[in-house]
Amino acid sequence: MTEERTEEQGRLGGWAAGRRRVWSRLRFTSLRLRLVVVFALVALTAAVSASGIAYWLNREAVLTRAQDAVLRDFWQEMHNRAGALPEHPSQDVLQHTADQMAGSGQRFGVLLVGQDTDGRTVHGASGGPDGFTLRDVPASLRAAVDRRQPLSETNKAPYHLYWQRIDLDGTPYLVAGSKVIGGGPTGYMLKSLEPEAKDLNSLAWSLGVATALALIGAALLAQAAATTVLRPVHRLGVAARRLGEGRLDTRLRVSGTDELADLARTFNNAAAALEKRVADMAARDEASRRFVADMSHELRTPLTAITAVTEVLEEELDSEGGGIDPMIEPAVRLVVSETRRLNDLVENLMEVTRFDAGTARLVLDDVDIADQITACIDARAWLDAVELDAERGIHARLDPRRLDVILANLIGNALKHGGSPVRVSVRESEEEVVIQVRDHGPGIPEDVLPHVFDRFYKASASRPRSEGSGLGLSIALNNAHIHGGDITAANHSEGGAVFTLRLPRDASPLAAAQAEDKGGGSGRRDGDGTARQAGREGDGDGGSDGGVQEEVR
């Protein structure tokens, strides 16, 4: 059942991924879609323009040819037949003549209008009284036909032939009219242009099909062009992503001499330069870390002897016999203090080196948070200065030593730079444990807040030398990060600074990942390969007398 559900989820996931790829290609911001749209618009514009011009030219040619033939035949019929009629013909004569004129080769309707001997207007139309009538002739055309033109050298006739295209009941017609010169009836002609309109509709349909085919062809051509252009761009994007992921040996295959080939060459040159620069920086960084680790290791041997001597001197200072000359007692105490500070600095430098080299590892155990905080405070004699607000029974699987280092630095920093009382509170959720360390001092200046976890950062340039090494809060933050947690610094609304530590309830996944990265090794060792031993009052990481503290106020 589980395998079927997994398979179904896989199919759904594949379908969703495919749909996302399709939508990514179809979204308007896609260069592929924009190329296709531009190509299609250009092709559509060109095809529509060409089709429109072709249609207009063919339409004018077809209509002009048809109307010229009809008008020529009508003009000849008017001269040959209507011109032979008497000046005052009867209606029967007009009817007979109209039928004869309509029987010409062009097959058009004819209407003759004249006056009989009694001065009455008579009409003769082909097809009888229900055929062609004066109502079918536009008034403007009738007025033009009846208008007598003045005679001149260029105008030899008082009356001319006029024509006009009209539409009757959705059918196009050509209507024309002329008056017999020298007296006689007025003739009108009506010719249907429906065959020519059908031919033009067929032409328009053909041009529309050609336009659609041109549009489809342009879209296919645009798709092919887009693929040709976008394939190198896609490869460049993939290579850029790989380069951003740290695969600095990524290179593009260069082919051709066009702009895309130049872009690929430029990318390869930039990637090679970046790889060389990163390699040089990594080598310098590795050399720097090795120098710090070697220096710290080499300093430990003379420091061991110096520390032993200072312990003897300190015992002499504290003895009742007073074995130290009072004149040199201040100098001896200074030597003892600076030796401790130098020893703490060396230990902190070695710890920082392990973090930078990625060799720091977690040694997990089930920890009662309240008991751990109490042990940290008690070991450093801070019980009278620290208020603890934590319930017993809040357990987490963490590295006890590193948690002690974090707490020693946060609480020690609050005691040194803040104001009493220092309050430590603990709250929990299903996923994490939150520990807050708040003091009641002046708080942290706003310009200092972004730098409180920086190494060797001192808030006051006038106090460059202090008991702290400048590494405590940085080490605390690294110890939180190795657990998958974090530390933030802020100012409380009621005064004082607040450091908030967030740690997961179980750091086992991170510890397993670290063990896998290093072949399953989980032991913690110094840069010199020797096992770490916790020192007095706060362990080597936390330093003595309150642990490593960062000067940030």
Side-chain angles (χ1 to χ4, degrees):
M1 189 67 178
T2 304
E3 294 180 355
E4 293 178 356
R5 186 181 299 109
T6 304
E7 184 179 356
E8 182 179 357
Q9 291 176 352
R11 290 197 300 269
L12 292 177
W15 178 81
R19 186 178 64 175
R20 285 194 297 270
R21 287 194 296 270
V22 171
W23 277 111
S24 65
R25 291 185 178 183
L26 294 181
R27 67 180 188 274
F28 191 71
T29 55
S30 169
L31 183 58
R32 180 187 301 273
L33 180 59
R34 282 185 284 175
L35 284 174
V36 172
V37 170
V38 170
F39 269 73
L41 288 177
V42 171
L44 181 62
T45 302
V48 170
S49 301
S51 299
I53 293 173
Y55 178 79
W56 182 79
L57 292 176
N58 281 276
R59 178 179 181 276
E60 290 300 316
V62 170
L63 294 179
T64 300
R65 184 170 58 251
Q67 75 184 20
D68 286 349
V70 173
L71 293 176
R72 185 171 54 252
D73 285 357
F74 175 66
W75 181 254
Q76 291 177 355
E77 291 295 327
M78 285 294 295
H79 277 278
N80 295 335
R81 297 185 184 276
L85 293 175
E87 185 176 355
H88 300 288
S90 64
Q91 184 173 356
D92 294 337
V93 172
L94 291 177
Q95 182 69 47
H96 178 70
T97 304
D99 289 336
Q100 289 181 334
M101 293 174 64
S104 66
Q106 295 297 329
R107 300 294 178 181
F108 45 74
V110 177
L111 171 65
L112 297 177
V113 181
Q115 289 184 343
D116 59 9
T117 55
D118 296 332
R120 294 178 300 178
T121 300
V122 293
H123 302 80
S126 60
D130 297 331
F132 184 23
T133 65
L134 277 178
R135 292 192 301 272
D136 299 327
V137 181
S140 59
L141 180 63
R142 293 199 304 267
V145 170
D146 293 337
R147 186 181 304 115
R148 182 181 179 85
Q149 303 293 332
L151 299 177
S152 63
E153 294 182 359
T154 58
N155 183 30
K156 304 298 184 180
Y159 299 101
H160 298 274
L161 174 65
Y162 295 92
W163 59 271
Q164 184 177 346
R165 295 172 189 164
I166 62 174
D167 189 86
L168 297 177
D169 299 328
T171 302
Y173 284 90
L174 175 67
V175 59
S178 179
K179 200 174 186 68
V180 176
I181 301 175
T186 302
Y188 296 99
M189 178 273 299
L190 184 68
K191 170 65 175 178
S192 174
L193 298 177
E194 186 174 3
E196 288 76 10
K198 291 182 178 179
D199 292 340
L200 292 175
N201 290 336
S202 299
L203 176 62
W205 174 257
S206 300
L207 292 175
V209 172
T211 300
L213 293 177
L215 183 61
I216 295 174
L220 295 177
L221 180 62
Q223 177 68 16
T227 301
T228 302
V229 174
L230 294 181
R231 184 180 291 113
V233 176
H234 175 71
R235 291 173 180 170
L236 179 62
V238 172
R241 284 194 295 272
R242 291 178 178 176
L243 198 66
E245 293 170 355
R247 301 170 63 179
L248 302 181
D249 58 342
T250 301
R251 298 294 185 272
L252 288 173
R253 181 173 58 86
V254 180
S255 60
T257 58
D258 56 6
E259 289 80 0
L260 292 175
D262 292 339
L263 180 61
R265 293 189 187 93
T266 303
F267 175 86
N268 289 342
N269 294 335
L274 180 62
E275 184 179 17
K276 184 178 182 303
R277 179 68 61 84
V278 171
D280 293 342
M281 294 177 62
R284 288 195 295 268
D285 187 58
E286 178 63 25
S288 176
R289 286 200 302 266
R290 189 182 303 111
F291 171 76
V292 173
D294 293 344
M295 180 191 67
S296 301
H297 173 66
E298 294 299 328
L299 285 175
R300 293 184 70 183
T301 301
L303 273 177
T304 302
I306 295 174
T307 301
V309 173
T310 56
E311 288 178 354
V312 173
L313 292 176
E314 189 175 12
E315 290 177 358
E316 289 294 327
L317 288 173
D318 295 337
S319 65
E320 296 180 358
I324 302 297
D325 188 342
M327 295 296 294
I328 65 172
E329 182 178 345
V332 173
R333 292 189 181 276
L334 179 61
V335 170
V336 171
S337 175
E338 291 302 308
T339 301
R340 287 178 177 173
R341 183 172 179 271
L342 182 59
N343 190 58
D344 292 341
L345 179 59
V346 171
E347 293 295 331
N348 290 337
L349 285 174
M350 296 186 68
E351 183 72 3
V352 168
T353 303
R354 283 191 290 274
F355 282 119
D356 290 343
T359 59
R361 293 293 176 264
L362 293 174
V363 179
L364 301 181
D365 195 2
D366 290 328
V367 176
D368 187 301
I369 302 299
D371 290 344
Q372 185 72 22
I373 298 174
T374 302
C376 175
I377 297 173
D378 184 49
R380 293 161 179 83
W382 292 339
L383 289 175
D384 295 334
V386 178
E387 297 179 358
L388 178 60
D389 180 15
E391 295 182 359
R392 304 290 178 179
I394 300 178
H395 291 272
R397 186 164 182 76
L398 305 169
D399 188 327
R401 188 190 70 85
R402 296 189 182 277
L403 178 58
D404 182 78
V405 171
I406 298 173
L407 294 172
N409 280 286
L410 295 182
I411 299 174
N413 185 78
L415 289 171
K416 181 177 181 181
H417 300 290
S420 297
V422 172
R423 182 179 180 84
V424 181
S425 59
V426 180
R427 65 178 185 271
E428 64 174 333
S429 65
E430 293 183 0
E431 300 294 334
E432 65 179 5
V433 176
V434 180
I435 303 174
Q436 284 190 336
V437 179
R438 178 196 171 191
D439 61 53
H440 289 75
I444 306 174
E446 293 297 328
D447 60 330
V448 176
L449 271 175
H451 306 286
V452 293
F453 296 104
D454 293 350
R455 295 176 183 177
F456 299 109
Y457 180 78
K458 301 294 180 67
S460 175
S462 63
R463 296 189 296 114
R465 183 176 181 81
S466 66
E467 295 181 2
S469 65
L471 294 172
L473 291 181
S474 176
I475 292 176
L477 182 62
N478 285 328
N479 278 306
H481 285 170
I482 200 174
H483 282 89
D486 195 15
I487 305 176
T488 57
N491 288 317
H492 199 275
S493 59
E494 298 178 0
V498 179
F499 285 83
T500 303
L501 168 65
R502 299 179 182 274
L503 295 174
R505 297 292 294 267
D506 188 358
S508 299
L510 282 176
Q514 294 168 5
E516 182 178 354
D517 291 340
K518 291 297 180 180
S522 59
R524 293 180 293 105
R525 295 188 174 273
D526 285 338
D528 58 355
T530 58
R532 293 276 294 172
Q533 294 181 352
R536 299 192 312 269
E537 297 182 354
D539 171 273
D541 289 346
S544 60
D545 297 334
V548 179
Q549 300 167 7
E550 176 68 85
E551 293 191 2
V552 297
R553 311 293 171 88

